[in-house]
Amino acid sequence: MTDRYPRFTGTAPGRFLTRRLGLTPLLARGALLSPFKRPRPDAPFPRTRLVLPGVRIDSDRLAAYERVCGFPTGVDALPVTYPHVLGFPLAMRIMASREFPLPLVGLVHTSVEITQREPLAPDGEYAIGVRVRELLPHRRGTEAVVVTEAHAGERLVWESTSTYLARHRTSAPAAKPPTVRAPLPALAKWHLADDLGRRYGAVSGDRNPIHLHRLTARPFGFPRAIAHGMWSVARCVAEQPAGTAVHLRAEFGAPVLLPGTVIFAAEGGRFELRGGDRLHLRGGIRHLRE
């Protein structure tokens, strides 16, 4: 089976799975283990890449995802952000394991970078691989760098790099002040309902308690539930011209509290999500040569 997908990047050994993973037991295990984790950037972490071949798209789940994120339904190509959902159970299996040093509960998605080399057909079959590339020191704790890849046959068609932050006391130096940029032109105002985190969690499988309800978000320092970072990215991308081969980069800033109102701004492939004088998200999407 490993010869069929020879182009997974890096040197991590592969472990091929034979069935889809149930998220509920993974999340429960991650929650139970979280209090015993002692995160630090030099901690050992799992080096094995998990691979699930033969992945097919559930059309009903895809349509629900498109509606929550604002994509048109019935298009003959997956939204560029959707393979992240396909890889999420594999990422959770790694991050909920005893060997992963960061606590799953309260883990915050801080950035994502996606390269899509060709359109992904909704009726296609894919092999999804996920691995942890490294741990990095952060001014607020430790970040894990997680790489996800999607193959169609032997072709690498989609890949992403995400960073996830576990907040804890650290001696890492403060980050350099961000570059001050003029705000992008505002194009729309979005009113976000208090159940947005629960609705996106239902279609993505990401039911981190910081997204679900104010009562479950408060123990992690949030006054109310916050929107998923990947919902924010997907919602912004849904407003951009569609492309078959693209590179997407987004960094998450201040959390989006639910319910809330945000301003979507964009120009020349760059986009922002703002709330008053707070920057929630900054990113850009560019088309690649085909």
Side-chain angles (χ1 to χ4, degrees):
M1 183 177 292
T2 57
D3 292 338
R4 186 179 173 190
Y5 307 105
R7 293 187 57 200
F8 280 100
T9 59
T11 59
R15 179 184 175 190
F16 284 73
L17 306 179
T18 57
R19 60 184 177 84
R20 291 178 180 268
L21 306 174
L23 279 169
T24 300
L26 292 177
L27 293 170
R29 181 175 67 181
L32 290 173
L33 291 174
S34 288
F36 304 100
K37 300 295 183 73
R38 298 294 180 264
R40 66 181 197 275
D42 61 345
F45 61 89
R47 304 282 179 166
T48 300
R49 174 190 286 110
L50 296 184
V51 180
L52 183 63
V55 174
R56 289 192 171 276
I57 311 302
D58 182 313
S59 58
D60 291 337
R61 185 181 181 190
L62 171 61
Y65 174 90
E66 291 168 333
R67 288 192 294 269
V68 169
C69 298
F71 290 103
T73 59
V75 178
D76 59 358
L78 297 179
V80 67
T81 50
Y82 194 71
H84 178 88
V85 173
L86 302 179
F88 185 72
L90 298 175
M92 287 300 98
R93 178 156 180 165
I94 295 173
M95 294 193 286
S97 69
R98 192 176 302 274
E99 295 76 21
F100 186 71
L102 308 187
L104 181 63
V105 175
L107 208 60
V108 178
H109 200 177
T110 52
S111 73
V112 64
E113 187 170 359
I114 294 172
T115 300
Q116 179 173 283
R117 291 174 167 80
E118 61 182 75
L120 278 66
D123 59 352
E125 181 177 308
Y126 304 99
I128 308 296
V130 177
R131 64 186 174 94
V132 179
R133 190 176 70 194
E134 58 185 332
L135 300 182
L136 297 173
H138 187 278
R139 70 186 187 280
R140 294 181 178 174
T142 298
E143 280 187 328
V145 181
V146 178
V147 176
T148 302
E149 297 175 307
H151 284 70
E154 296 189 357
R155 304 189 316 280
L156 175 61
V157 293
W158 186 98
E159 60 185 321
S160 75
T161 302
S162 286
T163 55
Y164 295 91
L165 172 66
R167 298 185 295 178
H168 61 86
R169 290 185 178 181
T170 177
S171 59
K176 296 180 180 179
T179 302
V180 177
R181 302 177 183 175
L184 297 176
L187 301 182
K189 178 184 289 187
W190 298 335
H191 300 285
L192 311 181
D194 62 355
D195 68 342
L196 175 60
R198 296 188 290 276
R199 289 189 289 119
Y200 183 81
V203 299
S204 68
D206 185 352
R207 292 184 173 88
N208 188 321
I210 63 176
H211 302 303
L212 302 182
H213 194 277
R214 59 185 174 86
L215 295 179
T216 57
R218 281 178 178 172
F220 303 98
F222 301 105
R224 305 196 299 276
I226 65 173
H228 294 73
M230 284 307 296
W231 175 86
S232 299
V233 174
R235 185 66 186 88
C236 290
V237 171
E239 298 293 320
Q240 309 293 310
T244 57
V246 297
H247 179 267
L248 167 67
R249 168 77 183 176
E251 296 179 355
F252 307 112
V256 177
L257 297 176
L258 301 173
T261 299
V262 294
I263 300 297
F264 169 68
E267 184 177 56
R270 295 184 296 139
F271 55 84
E272 293 176 347
L273 209 57
R274 303 194 299 263
D277 59 355
R278 307 186 78 193
L279 181 65
H280 299 298
L281 170 69
R282 172 180 287 156
I285 187 167
R286 62 182 175 87
H287 298 271
L288 305 176
R289 290 186 177 181
E290 302 177 32

